[in-house]
Amino acid sequence: MAANYWVSTQRRYWLFSREKLAEAREKLKERDNVAYSQLPLPDQRLLNIYFSQQLSKLGKRMSTRQQALATAQIYVKRFYTKKELRHTNPYLILTTAFYLACKMEECPHHIRFVVGEARSLWPDFITPDISKLGECEFALIAEMNSQLIVHHPYRTLSELQSDLSLTSDEVALAWSVINDHYLTDLPLLYAPHVIAVMAIIIAVVFKPSQTSFHGSAAPSLTAAMRDGSTNIFAALGDKGGNAPRIQKLVSWLAESDVDIRAVVECTQELVSLYEIWEQYNEKHCKELLMRMVKNKNLYK
Amino acid sequence: MAVSPSIPRSPSTTSSSTVPQKLKEIATQNISTGKGVSHPQIPLQNPDYELAQQLNDDVRHKYIKDRKLGEGTYAVVYLGHLRADSASYVAIKKIKVNAEFKDGLSMDAIREVKYLQELSHPNIIALHDVFTSKDLNLNLVLEYLPGGDLEMLIKDGSIHYGAADVKAWMGMLARSVWYCHENCVLHRDIKPNNLLIASDGEVKLADFGLARSFADPYLNMSHQVITRWYRPPELLYGARQYSGAVDIWSMGMVFAELLLRVPFVAGNTDLDQISKINDAFGTPTEENWPGVTKLPNYVSAEKDRIVPLQGRDFFLRQFPTAGSVGAELLMSMCALDPRKRSTASQILQHNWWFIEPKPTKKEDLPRKPGGVKKMGDDLARRGGELQEGPFHNTVRQLDFTAMK
């Protein structure tokens, strides 16, 4: 983590409004309307899930720090706001984003090692020729206007841990909520501290069961949320409630300058992630992408 | 990149329209991996190419390269100017990329771009733009700093400068270091030839090729950083966890060198550097630096060479031109134990800045012609290198285990 978020390139150039983001994507798609009608691709939200999970798989293979993986997630998202998916080999982009992010977060891997691991994960899409990754790194940096520092919500979470006297279970749950938010567009839409506050609220309101730091919060949260996602807001607004911890959080929020509306919107986005996750079918995404890439021989 | 002719053809597409369609495929495919520029006839056909490359081209066309100023192992530096205004000079640092992209971009290039994109301070070299050129090299458009560097002024005996000038230079250095540390960035290569001088006399910290963010607690970092003469004892002893204090030591060494006009402790090897530091400042012991004997490369000094920790008198004697308050400030930057060294903000609050003589105004600082060439050499050099001496004490190797 370096530099100041408020003057960062992340805040100045890579924070979108929902409308702007949709517009940018529409514009990219427009030129390929024919291709889209011939070979439709999965919904953006499903693709988000797919790419994030593929990237996590690569990260896990190489036991990478969460921070580097998170940065790679952002690189992929940024890249696809400027390039149309159909003109790329997404697996090469994922690999390159990972390779570059590791260098950025000071835990570099050798290019051969990265290519080797990516190849064993996606043998149909990654060639052994390492120069492809080198070229793609170059393109990735160029598309991102060489703005490479990314601020993540994890740091805010650890800073607030003692202020809000969060239990280690709550921190673990909030941590996995943050992991999950990389499966959505949220990192392009809201500041990292807003995401962190959202994760804390979810963690405090829904009593954590057992979650590990590296997993997703989905198993423990989906069911709870399905029972009534509005519970969060009810719980927060319930002044006379018998939950002093929640009250403490509410009064802290009221005194802070955090944009509460944004926090609420983030929460809703996350709730809908857990909803759509139930329809998600990895195999289906994989097949569609496979057809897309094979059709164009993009993997060569 | 192989191009497949087997593009899915829908019945609705007439054969005439498949041709541009195909070209488009080629172009965009190539761009997506960065090769699009090798097909000059294609870009015109393709709106996507335009979109992707237009911005980059716009940036590239903003500048004209005039002549080569310097070349190092890692970069070539050109003098350039704005197309729109031939009096607005810039330095264009073209980072050499291995022709086959064998190893990806070097960490130096990545770090430099990464930090300069975010940092913006009057005493830090400005990065105006980044663009890629036709031969797929990364070009950094940097602030033009024709005044050369501090090393040049220190070495030139015909240039006279006094305590007020040193105070002005040190003030600018201290502010740049404070700003870096405030933003959680370690520079890790502070030395006189990384302190470049603008046409108005302002000193600018350059070369962020070794910079990194503060590590998370307990994560190791490389100790193979900072050019040897400016490297603090904890790094020479192989400490893997360290703080902004490493930059403060380098700052102290620059301060001493400005006063003496020669490097204060100039070892020929890392071991020699340690023993010279021992002789000059005192021998590190568990008493004056708790924990020092546990550092990985700690070597205990021979019994007959143990020097007691130097106090104020020593600094006053060695650096009479600094005055007693100045000597005290220098001493606080040269504490052997990094925990006892001043921080950048403590340095900025030191009484020395407030007493006479007042720092020279930047316009009135001594200067020397020939700075443009020096800027070229400085910017082309890879971090951690000293130019002179029989031993090139390069510290930089891409060591993937030590890099963390």
Side-chain angles (χ1 to χ4, degrees):
Chain A
M1 178 66 58
N4 175 347
Y5 172 75
W6 299 101
V7 295
S8 66
T9 50
Q10 181 173 352
R11 179 162 177 273
R12 287 182 292 154
Y13 304 113
W14 295 102
L15 209 53
F16 298 80
S17 67
R18 255 170 223 282
E19 295 73 29
K20 279 266 152 55
L21 186 60
E23 202 179 290
R25 286 186 177 144
E26 269 317 302
K27 226 170 156 183
L28 290 178
K29 276 188 188 170
E30 245 168 41
R31 284 186 226 108
D32 292 282
N33 274 339
V34 179
Y36 268 96
S37 60
Q38 285 168 358
L39 173 66
L41 288 180
D43 182 81
Q44 179 72 46
R45 293 192 290 176
L46 296 172
L47 277 178
N48 283 341
I49 297 176
Y50 181 73
F51 287 147
S52 295
Q53 290 192 333
Q54 293 299 309
L55 203 49
S56 301
K57 276 188 191 167
L58 182 61
K60 243 171 228 152
R61 278 188 87 94
M62 308 184 67
S63 51
T64 313
R65 296 179 55 206
Q66 195 91 36
Q67 171 103 359
L69 192 60
T71 298
Q73 302 271 18
I74 304 290
Y75 287 172
V76 173
K77 288 179 198 300
R78 288 183 179 180
F79 181 80
Y80 283 123
T81 62
K82 297 186 73 181
K83 284 300 291 181
E84 166 55 36
L85 175 63
R86 282 182 184 271
H87 302 308
T88 63
N89 170 357
Y91 298 95
L92 181 61
I93 301 296
L94 291 176
T95 311
T96 311
F98 177 79
Y99 171 65
L100 180 60
C102 286
K103 286 201 273 190
M104 276 294 300
E105 302 296 348
E106 301 282 347
C107 47
H109 291 296
H110 196 278
I111 191 165
R112 274 179 208 288
F113 183 43
V114 177
V115 169
E117 289 297 315
R119 249 179 83 73
S120 43
L121 198 53
W122 308 301
D124 296 341
F125 303 102
I126 302 289
T127 65
D129 178 5
I130 54 167
S131 67
K132 288 277 171 286
L133 186 58
E135 282 179 56
C136 189
E137 177 185 29
F138 203 77
L140 184 62
I141 292 178
E143 289 296 345
M144 297 195 299
N145 301 330
S146 42
Q147 290 150 355
L148 303 175
I149 292 188
V150 179
H151 297 255
H152 294 290
Y154 298 110
R155 186 185 161 96
T156 316
L157 174 60
S158 27
E159 281 172 1
L160 289 179
Q161 179 175 6
S162 58
D163 286 3
L164 297 173
S165 43
L166 301 174
T167 66
S168 59
D169 278 350
E170 284 163 348
V171 172
L173 183 58
W175 189 281
S176 27
V177 171
I178 293 176
N179 291 350
D180 288 350
H181 102 287
Y182 292 104
L183 278 69
T184 68
D185 286 335
L186 284 173
L188 297 174
L189 299 171
Y190 297 99
H193 68 275
V194 172
I195 310 277
V197 169
M198 173 273 289
I200 291 171
I201 293 176
I202 289 188
V204 172
V205 171
F206 294 98
K207 291 277 170 279
S209 47
Q210 299 104 1
T211 30
S212 75
F213 271 81
H214 291 280
S216 148
S220 49
L221 284 181
T222 325
M225 289 198 166
R226 205 189 301 114
D227 296 343
S229 51
T230 47
N231 275 354
I232 302 173
F233 312 112
L236 287 178
D238 184 8
K239 288 227 166 72
N242 49 8
R245 294 192 52 71
I246 294 176
Q247 267 182 28
K248 189 180 169 194
L249 188 59
V250 169
S251 55
W252 178 84
L253 259 182
E255 280 172 33
S256 73
D257 281 334
V258 179
D259 180 351
I260 296 185
R261 177 192 289 263
V263 174
V264 171
E265 283 167 5
C266 282
T267 318
Q268 281 163 340
E269 180 77 32
L270 204 79
V271 170
S272 74
L273 165 72
Y274 293 134
E275 275 166 18
I276 193 148
W277 209 332
E278 306 210 321
Q279 313 164 20
Y280 168 75
N281 178 338
E282 176 176 331
K283 226 173 142 191
H284 183 65
C285 282
K286 192 174 172 178
E287 272 165 18
L288 285 178
L289 286 172
M290 165 103 84
R291 279 171 63 195
M292 177 194 97
V293 176
K294 291 260 146 129
N295 263 337
K296 296 197 161 187
N297 274 1
L298 281 170
Y299 61 96
K300 281 203 176 152
Chain B
M1 168 163 303
V3 175
S4 161
S6 63
I7 294 158
R9 206 176 288 185
S10 91
S12 61
T13 343
T14 62
S15 59
S16 63
S17 70
T18 52
V19 179
Q21 175 70 21
K22 185 175 151 195
L23 286 174
K24 181 176 168 181
E25 305 273 323
I26 301 165
T28 49
Q29 233 171 281
N30 284 332
I31 292 160
S32 69
T33 52
K35 244 189 183 171
V37 277
S38 55
H39 298 266
Q41 81 280 19
I42 292 155
L44 301 171
Q45 309 271 351
N46 175 28
D48 231 35
Y49 172 86
E50 286 165 29
L51 196 80
Q53 293 290 312
Q54 189 89 52
L55 267 172
N56 181 49
D57 290 350
D58 284 353
V59 171
R60 180 148 47 93
H61 285 286
K62 251 166 81 183
Y63 304 98
I64 295 177
K65 272 182 195 168
D66 295 329
R67 61 189 164 94
K68 198 198 251 186
L69 289 178
E71 177 159 4
T73 49
Y74 146 71
V76 188
V77 177
Y78 298 89
L79 175 67
H81 64 265
L82 271 179
R83 188 174 295 270
D85 174 10
S86 58
S88 296
Y89 291 110
V90 292
I92 300 179
K93 176 170 178 171
K94 180 165 143 185
I95 292 172
K96 291 180 176 173
V97 179
N98 186 314
E100 277 91 43
F101 298 102
K102 283 265 161 58
D103 300 314
L105 276 173
S106 74
M107 283 296 282
D108 310 57
I110 301 257
R111 284 173 169 153
E112 184 138 31
V113 171
K114 166 182 176 187
Y115 292 112
L116 288 181
Q117 274 284 16
E118 305 282 332
L119 300 177
S120 154
H121 186 273
N123 297 112
I124 291 177
I125 191 170
L127 175 66
H128 296 306
D129 272 312
V130 183
F131 63 86
T132 57
S133 48
K134 289 199 192 80
D135 45 355
L136 293 180
N137 280 311
L138 208 56
N139 291 261
L140 313 187
V141 182
L142 293 161
E143 192 172 4
Y144 174 67
L145 302 168
D149 60 24
L150 282 186
E151 183 193 37
M152 192 172 98
L153 298 174
I154 290 169
K155 278 193 174 163
D156 186 338
S158 68
I159 300 230
H160 297 282
Y161 60 77
D165 303 319
V166 172
K167 194 179 278 187
W169 286 323
M170 282 307 293
M172 294 187 268
L173 170 56
R175 290 195 286 274
S176 72
V177 172
W178 172 83
Y179 177 81
C180 287
H181 291 180
E182 199 67 6
N183 284 293
C184 306
V185 175
L186 300 173
H187 184 277
R188 305 200 299 183
D189 200 16
I190 292 170
K191 57 180 175 181
N193 59 13
N194 277 339
L195 293 162
L196 306 194
I197 301 171
S199 57
D200 62 355
E202 194 85 47
V203 168
K204 312 258 180 179
L205 183 57
D207 192 352
F208 280 69
L210 281 175
R212 65 158 294 159
S213 310
F214 291 1
D216 292 329
Y218 307 114
L219 274 177
N220 285 343
M221 300 185 269
S222 168
H223 58 89
Q224 297 288 335
V225 291
I226 306 187
T227 309
R228 187 186 306 125
W229 299 345
Y230 308 90
R231 202 182 302 159
E234 66 268 31
L235 293 185
L236 291 162
Y237 285 142
R240 304 296 301 275
Q241 291 163 20
Y242 48 85
S243 67
V246 299
D247 286 338
I248 303 296
W249 176 277
S250 311
M251 236 173 103
M253 294 302 111
V254 172
F255 191 6
E257 189 169 336
L258 279 169
L259 295 166
L260 298 176
R261 305 197 72 153
V262 285
F264 184 50
V265 269
N268 291 322
T269 62
D270 288 0
L271 270 177
D272 187 37
Q273 185 71 21
I274 293 184
S275 66
K276 285 209 161 81
I277 289 177
N278 287 353
D279 294 346
F281 297 103
T283 311
T285 60
E286 277 296 322
E287 284 74 49
N288 59 33
W289 180 353
V292 64
T293 55
K294 296 196 182 65
L295 289 175
N297 305 341
Y298 173 77
V299 275
S300 51
E302 294 150 43
K303 284 271 181 285
D304 55 329
R305 285 196 65 178
I306 288 186
V307 181
L309 202 61
Q310 302 288 2
R312 287 190 53 186
D313 297 346
F314 164 81
F315 283 91
L316 254 174
R317 232 178 316 121
Q318 285 284 336
F319 306 98
T321 44
S324 65
V325 185
E328 199 177 82
L329 174 61
L330 176 56
M331 186 172 123
S332 77
M333 298 181 193
C334 303
L336 291 173
D337 182 349
R339 280 164 295 202
K340 293 178 189 144
R341 239 169 266 157
S342 290
T343 63
S345 73
Q346 283 166 346
I347 287 167
L348 285 178
Q349 288 163 35
H350 198 273
N351 197 24
W352 186 58
W353 312 105
F354 305 101
I355 60 169
E356 293 295 330
K358 290 270 183 288
T360 313
K361 284 192 189 128
K362 64 183 181 193
E363 311 79 68
D364 303 331
L365 282 166
R367 52 187 70 198
K368 178 176 159 44
V372 177
K373 171 84 181 78
K374 193 77 170 102
M375 168 188 66
D377 294 340
D378 286 344
L379 291 178
R381 199 179 33 246
R382 169 166 274 206
E385 284 177 8
L386 276 176
Q387 279 164 312
E388 55 271 88
F391 306 102
H392 257 273
N393 55 352
T394 315
V395 295
R396 182 85 49 97
Q397 269 132 25
L398 250 189
D399 173 359
F400 281 88
T401 52
M403 189 64 87
K404 290 184 182 155

